[in-house]
mmCIF file of all heavy atoms in Angstrom:
data_model
loop_
_atom_site.group_PDB
_atom_site.id
_atom_site.type_symbol
_atom_site.label_atom_id
_atom_site.label_comp_id
_atom_site.label_asym_id
_atom_site.label_seq_id
_atom_site.Cartn_x
_atom_site.Cartn_y
_atom_site.Cartn_z
ATOM 1 N N LEU A 235 48.651 55.303 -41.588
ATOM 2 C CA LEU A 235 47.980 54.708 -42.734
ATOM 3 C C LEU A 235 49.052 54.126 -43.751
ATOM 4 O O LEU A 235 50.253 54.411 -43.516
ATOM 5 C CB LEU A 235 47.097 55.697 -43.337
ATOM 6 C CG LEU A 235 45.919 56.083 -42.476
ATOM 7 C CD1 LEU A 235 45.170 57.325 -42.944
ATOM 8 C CD2 LEU A 235 44.879 54.913 -42.381
ATOM 9 N N SER A 236 48.575 53.498 -44.765
ATOM 10 C CA SER A 236 49.398 52.945 -45.749
ATOM 11 C C SER A 236 50.399 53.964 -46.317
ATOM 12 O O SER A 236 49.892 55.093 -46.682
ATOM 13 C CB SER A 236 48.605 52.372 -46.801
ATOM 14 O OG SER A 236 49.458 51.718 -47.734
ATOM 15 N N GLY A 237 51.644 53.711 -46.437
ATOM 16 C CA GLY A 237 52.605 54.600 -47.101
ATOM 17 C C GLY A 237 53.222 55.693 -46.147
ATOM 18 O O GLY A 237 53.988 56.505 -46.575
ATOM 19 N N THR A 238 52.785 55.721 -44.860
ATOM 20 C CA THR A 238 53.329 56.695 -44.006
ATOM 21 C C THR A 238 54.688 56.431 -43.327
ATOM 22 O O THR A 238 55.321 57.239 -42.678
ATOM 23 C CB THR A 238 52.342 57.031 -42.874
ATOM 24 O OG1 THR A 238 52.015 55.845 -42.103
ATOM 25 C CG2 THR A 238 50.998 57.543 -43.417
ATOM 26 N N GLY A 239 55.047 55.130 -43.368
ATOM 27 C CA GLY A 239 56.411 54.821 -42.867
ATOM 28 C C GLY A 239 56.440 53.782 -41.753
ATOM 29 O O GLY A 239 57.616 53.562 -41.212
ATOM 30 N N LYS A 240 55.473 53.064 -41.466
ATOM 31 C CA LYS A 240 55.452 52.062 -40.457
ATOM 32 C C LYS A 240 56.540 51.037 -40.660
ATOM 33 O O LYS A 240 57.418 50.768 -39.782
ATOM 34 C CB LYS A 240 54.100 51.312 -40.318
ATOM 35 C CG LYS A 240 52.922 52.231 -39.885
ATOM 36 C CD LYS A 240 51.661 51.339 -39.780
ATOM 37 C CE LYS A 240 51.229 50.649 -41.039
ATOM 38 N NZ LYS A 240 50.893 51.546 -42.184
ATOM 39 N N THR A 241 56.500 50.446 -41.825
ATOM 40 C CA THR A 241 57.500 49.328 -42.113
ATOM 41 C C THR A 241 58.878 49.968 -42.311
ATOM 42 O O THR A 241 59.884 49.374 -41.680
ATOM 43 C CB THR A 241 57.085 48.625 -43.472
ATOM 44 O OG1 THR A 241 55.683 48.126 -43.299
ATOM 45 C CG2 THR A 241 57.974 47.504 -43.788
ATOM 46 N N THR A 242 59.092 51.012 -43.036
ATOM 47 C CA THR A 242 60.353 51.595 -43.231
ATOM 48 C C THR A 242 60.999 52.033 -41.911
ATOM 49 O O THR A 242 62.255 51.670 -41.621
ATOM 50 C CB THR A 242 60.214 52.915 -44.101
ATOM 51 O OG1 THR A 242 59.602 52.481 -45.274
ATOM 52 C CG2 THR A 242 61.549 53.632 -44.289
ATOM 53 N N LEU A 243 60.347 52.666 -41.046
ATOM 54 C CA LEU A 243 60.918 53.310 -39.799
ATOM 55 C C LEU A 243 61.129 52.377 -38.687
ATOM 56 O O LEU A 243 61.939 52.522 -37.843
ATOM 57 C CB LEU A 243 60.149 54.563 -39.309
ATOM 58 C CG LEU A 243 60.084 55.620 -40.434
ATOM 59 C CD1 LEU A 243 59.014 56.760 -40.024
ATOM 60 C CD2 LEU A 243 61.380 56.307 -40.703
ATOM 61 N N LYS A 274 56.921 48.042 -48.831
ATOM 62 C CA LYS A 274 56.793 48.671 -50.080
ATOM 63 C C LYS A 274 58.206 48.539 -50.712
ATOM 64 O O LYS A 274 59.173 48.845 -50.096
ATOM 65 C CB LYS A 274 56.452 50.117 -49.935
ATOM 66 C CG LYS A 274 54.982 50.312 -49.752
ATOM 67 C CD LYS A 274 54.710 51.854 -49.818
ATOM 68 C CE LYS A 274 53.299 52.222 -49.382
ATOM 69 N NZ LYS A 274 52.302 51.846 -50.453
ATOM 70 N N ILE A 276 58.864 50.072 -54.004
ATOM 71 C CA ILE A 276 59.173 51.110 -55.020
ATOM 72 C C ILE A 276 60.210 52.015 -54.583
ATOM 73 O O ILE A 276 60.143 52.525 -53.408
ATOM 74 C CB ILE A 276 57.855 51.777 -55.430
ATOM 75 C CG1 ILE A 276 58.038 52.441 -56.760
ATOM 76 C CG2 ILE A 276 57.363 52.770 -54.434
ATOM 77 C CD1 ILE A 276 58.235 51.519 -57.951
ATOM 78 N N GLU A 283 67.332 52.194 -46.399
ATOM 79 C CA GLU A 283 66.534 51.073 -45.831
ATOM 80 C C GLU A 283 67.259 49.713 -46.069
ATOM 81 O O GLU A 283 66.846 48.797 -46.789
ATOM 82 C CB GLU A 283 65.170 50.999 -46.501
ATOM 83 C CG GLU A 283 64.385 52.236 -46.365
ATOM 84 C CD GLU A 283 62.937 52.180 -46.977
ATOM 85 O OE1 GLU A 283 62.284 51.209 -46.511
ATOM 86 O OE2 GLU A 283 62.622 53.088 -47.708
ATOM 87 N N THR A 428 56.063 62.377 -42.197
ATOM 88 C CA THR A 428 57.098 61.774 -43.125
ATOM 89 C C THR A 428 56.736 62.310 -44.570
ATOM 90 O O THR A 428 57.362 61.765 -45.554
ATOM 91 C CB THR A 428 57.020 60.259 -43.112
ATOM 92 O OG1 THR A 428 55.742 59.830 -43.581
ATOM 93 C CG2 THR A 428 57.230 59.690 -41.712
ATOM 94 N N ARG A 440 59.749 65.212 -50.572
ATOM 95 C CA ARG A 440 59.439 64.336 -49.403
ATOM 96 C C ARG A 440 60.530 64.530 -48.360
ATOM 97 O O ARG A 440 61.748 64.698 -48.681
ATOM 98 C CB ARG A 440 59.477 62.941 -50.014
ATOM 99 C CG ARG A 440 59.036 61.854 -48.915
ATOM 100 C CD ARG A 440 57.562 61.572 -48.991
ATOM 101 N NE ARG A 440 57.141 60.764 -47.849
ATOM 102 C CZ ARG A 440 56.747 59.492 -47.958
ATOM 103 N NH1 ARG A 440 56.611 58.892 -49.055
ATOM 104 N NH2 ARG A 440 56.344 58.840 -46.789
ATOM 105 N N MET A 441 60.128 64.467 -47.156
ATOM 106 C CA MET A 441 60.971 64.530 -45.962
ATOM 107 C C MET A 441 62.161 63.475 -46.126
ATOM 108 O O MET A 441 61.740 62.326 -46.354
ATOM 109 C CB MET A 441 60.134 64.247 -44.740
ATOM 110 C CG MET A 441 60.735 64.696 -43.484
ATOM 111 S SD MET A 441 60.643 66.484 -43.248
ATOM 112 C CE MET A 441 58.856 66.818 -43.075
ATOM 113 N N PRO A 442 63.418 63.867 -45.979
ATOM 114 C CA PRO A 442 64.417 62.869 -46.086
ATOM 115 C C PRO A 442 64.239 61.802 -44.925
ATOM 116 O O PRO A 442 64.025 62.135 -43.812
ATOM 117 C CB PRO A 442 65.717 63.652 -45.923
ATOM 118 C CG PRO A 442 65.394 65.028 -46.125
ATOM 119 C CD PRO A 442 63.925 65.229 -45.767
ATOM 120 N N ILE A 443 64.363 60.556 -45.284
ATOM 121 C CA ILE A 443 64.232 59.460 -44.308
ATOM 122 C C ILE A 443 65.232 59.685 -43.175
ATOM 123 O O ILE A 443 64.943 59.405 -42.030
ATOM 124 C CB ILE A 443 64.433 58.082 -45.033
ATOM 125 C CG1 ILE A 443 63.311 57.829 -45.976
ATOM 126 C CG2 ILE A 443 64.482 56.914 -43.971
ATOM 127 C CD1 ILE A 443 63.363 56.510 -46.670
ATOM 128 N N THR A 446 63.938 62.158 -40.666
ATOM 129 C CA THR A 446 62.800 61.531 -39.878
ATOM 130 C C THR A 446 63.441 60.603 -38.830
ATOM 131 O O THR A 446 63.060 60.596 -37.637
ATOM 132 C CB THR A 446 61.846 60.730 -40.786
ATOM 133 O OG1 THR A 446 61.355 61.622 -41.695
ATOM 134 C CG2 THR A 446 60.729 60.142 -39.983
HETATM 135 N N1 ADP N 1 60.731 60.458 -44.369
HETATM 136 C C1 ADP N 1 60.264 59.269 -44.647
HETATM 137 N N2 ADP N 1 59.863 58.364 -43.663
HETATM 138 C C2 ADP N 1 59.332 57.180 -44.040
HETATM 139 N N3 ADP N 1 59.262 56.717 -45.312
HETATM 140 C C3 ADP N 1 59.581 57.520 -46.346
HETATM 141 C C4 ADP N 1 60.142 58.794 -46.049
HETATM 142 N N4 ADP N 1 60.497 59.294 -47.245
HETATM 143 C C5 ADP N 1 60.029 58.488 -48.165
HETATM 144 N N5 ADP N 1 59.612 57.371 -47.548
HETATM 145 C C6 ADP N 1 59.035 56.190 -48.380
HETATM 146 O O1 ADP N 1 57.665 56.177 -48.134
HETATM 147 C C7 ADP N 1 57.322 54.745 -48.031
HETATM 148 C C8 ADP N 1 56.780 54.379 -46.652
HETATM 149 O O2 ADP N 1 56.080 53.150 -46.845
HETATM 150 P P1 ADP N 1 55.991 52.049 -45.707
HETATM 151 O O3 ADP N 1 57.140 52.125 -44.632
HETATM 152 O O4 ADP N 1 55.781 50.720 -46.362
HETATM 153 O O5 ADP N 1 54.662 52.565 -45.038
HETATM 154 P P2 ADP N 1 53.538 51.705 -44.262
HETATM 155 O O6 ADP N 1 54.251 50.545 -43.739
HETATM 156 O O7 ADP N 1 53.166 52.651 -43.197
HETATM 157 O O8 ADP N 1 52.537 51.400 -45.295
HETATM 158 C C9 ADP N 1 58.561 53.954 -48.406
HETATM 159 O O9 ADP N 1 58.477 53.579 -49.857
HETATM 160 C C10 ADP N 1 59.699 54.914 -48.032
HETATM 161 O O10 ADP N 1 60.760 54.600 -48.858
#
Side-chain angles (χ1 to χ4, degrees):
L235 291 166
S236 186
T238 57
K240 295 182 298 299
T241 302
T242 300
L243 299 168
K274 281 187 188 289
I276 199 71
E283 303 182 52
T428 63
R440 186 92 192 247
M441 199 72 70
I443 295 181
T446 303

